[in-house]
Amino acid sequence: MKVLFFVRRVGPYHHARFDKAAKRLQLVVVETRPLSQEYPWEFAATGEYLSETLPEGDPERGIRGHRLHDSVRNLFIKHHPSVIVTTGWADPEYHAAVLEARSRNIPCVVISDSRHEDEPRKFHKEAVKRVILRSYSAALVAGSASRRYLVKLGFPSPAIFQPWDVVDNSFFATANSDETVPFSEKPFLCISRFIPKKNLPRLISAYGSYVRRGGTRKLILLGSGELERSLIEQIKELELDERVEVKGFVQYENLPAYFSSALCLILPSTTDQWGLVVNEAMASELPVLVSQNCGCAVDLVRDKENGCIFDPFRVDDIADKMLFMSGISEAEW
């Protein structure tokens, strides 16, 4: 079966999935926005699958109009796919692919990690989504919350499959605990884009409370984004400069080293469709502290067994969970 798979840009975690899928399928991956810097990966995909890109346009918006539709049509003519897959349903590039597929009676599969809880829902937008989703024969979703949302939108439950949000466990399993870092000094680790929904200002405030209540472990922030300067200023205002390290964006191949030396991962998002970094931490044998508003929490986290779940809007709750994790023995850890 030949699959034409549309995605904005291939990153390391996409590549791991595609390389595995290519052992079972004739897979052609089409990058619709290959210049996007939403995630500043330094990564070139080379694997068992074929790669195509749409013509260059705006890095974050791609191409539009006749240029888009002609480019998509040419891909269909070149590859004669048996099925197409789109990573979401909102982008114009995906609409063009679905329209071309329908004109050729080729079935379509949608990838979805959206949840009803992600944002306030408006009736007219939900109605449009219902119409768009009628063009798809099946769906692959992140987890149970994404499944519920598609069912709510009228998608047939037997045609929904999961999970989509998976990682290469074997790659992260190499991140065995770094014994050169004593257990008592292992830091909290947060890997995140520095954007509002990731809730980092509250995390820093909670960490300040953790320190005032006697906590001694450091906090390491890995990532980049629009809030970087304000986060650094907040750290200075709270006099946490010597305890909080802002490391910037870290490439995929360097992540195991950070997981190896950490006490646990923290993901404090006020809303997050999934939170793939939690999979990565768990594959690295790390406990996790995860916001209840992350899609992965319900499927992956067992409270007080492999980590803790907290209310991301309550600074005291985040601090309490940090104190709990910091206070357990190495054997419990």
Side-chain angles (χ1 to χ4, degrees), residues 74-216:
N74 289 337
L75 287 170
F76 277 74
I77 293 170
K78 178 179 178 180
H79 292 289
H80 303 287
S82 308
V83 62
I84 75 151
V85 183
T86 66
T87 315
W89 62 67
D91 290 0
E93 296 93 333
Y94 303 156
H95 299 164
V98 169
L99 286 171
E100 188 65 30
R102 289 189 64 177
S103 73
R104 298 168 182 271
N105 291 319
I106 297 172
C108 304
V109 178
V110 65
I111 303 287
S112 177
D113 59 6
S114 296
R115 305 174 305 145
H116 185 266
E117 308 92 318
D118 290 335
E119 60 184 71
R121 300 299 179 181
K122 297 181 179 179
F123 175 80
H124 65 284
K125 288 187 176 181
E126 300 300 277
V128 171
K129 290 176 187 176
R130 288 173 180 268
V131 172
I132 293 173
L133 285 170
R134 289 175 191 160
S135 296
Y136 291 93
S137 302
L140 180 59
V141 298
S144 55
S146 304
R147 170 185 284 273
R148 285 195 297 272
Y149 183 40
L150 281 191
V151 171
K152 191 178 185 69
L153 289 172
F155 206 89
S157 182
I160 303 174
F161 302 86
Q162 65 188 78
W164 158 251
D165 280 348
V166 295
V167 300
D168 182 354
N169 289 339
S170 61
F171 174 78
F172 289 98
T174 62
N176 296 320
S177 180
D178 185 349
E179 296 181 359
T180 63
V181 180
F183 175 72
S184 61
E185 297 177 13
K186 288 184 179 294
F188 296 102
L189 177 65
C190 177
I191 304 174
S192 167
R193 287 183 291 160
F194 295 169
I195 58 176
K197 76 172 188 176
K198 297 298 185 177
N199 201 32
L200 298 179
R202 283 195 185 91
L203 173 60
I204 293 170
S205 295
Y207 178 74
S209 174
Y210 161 82
V211 170
R212 290 192 298 275
R213 292 162 68 181
T216 59

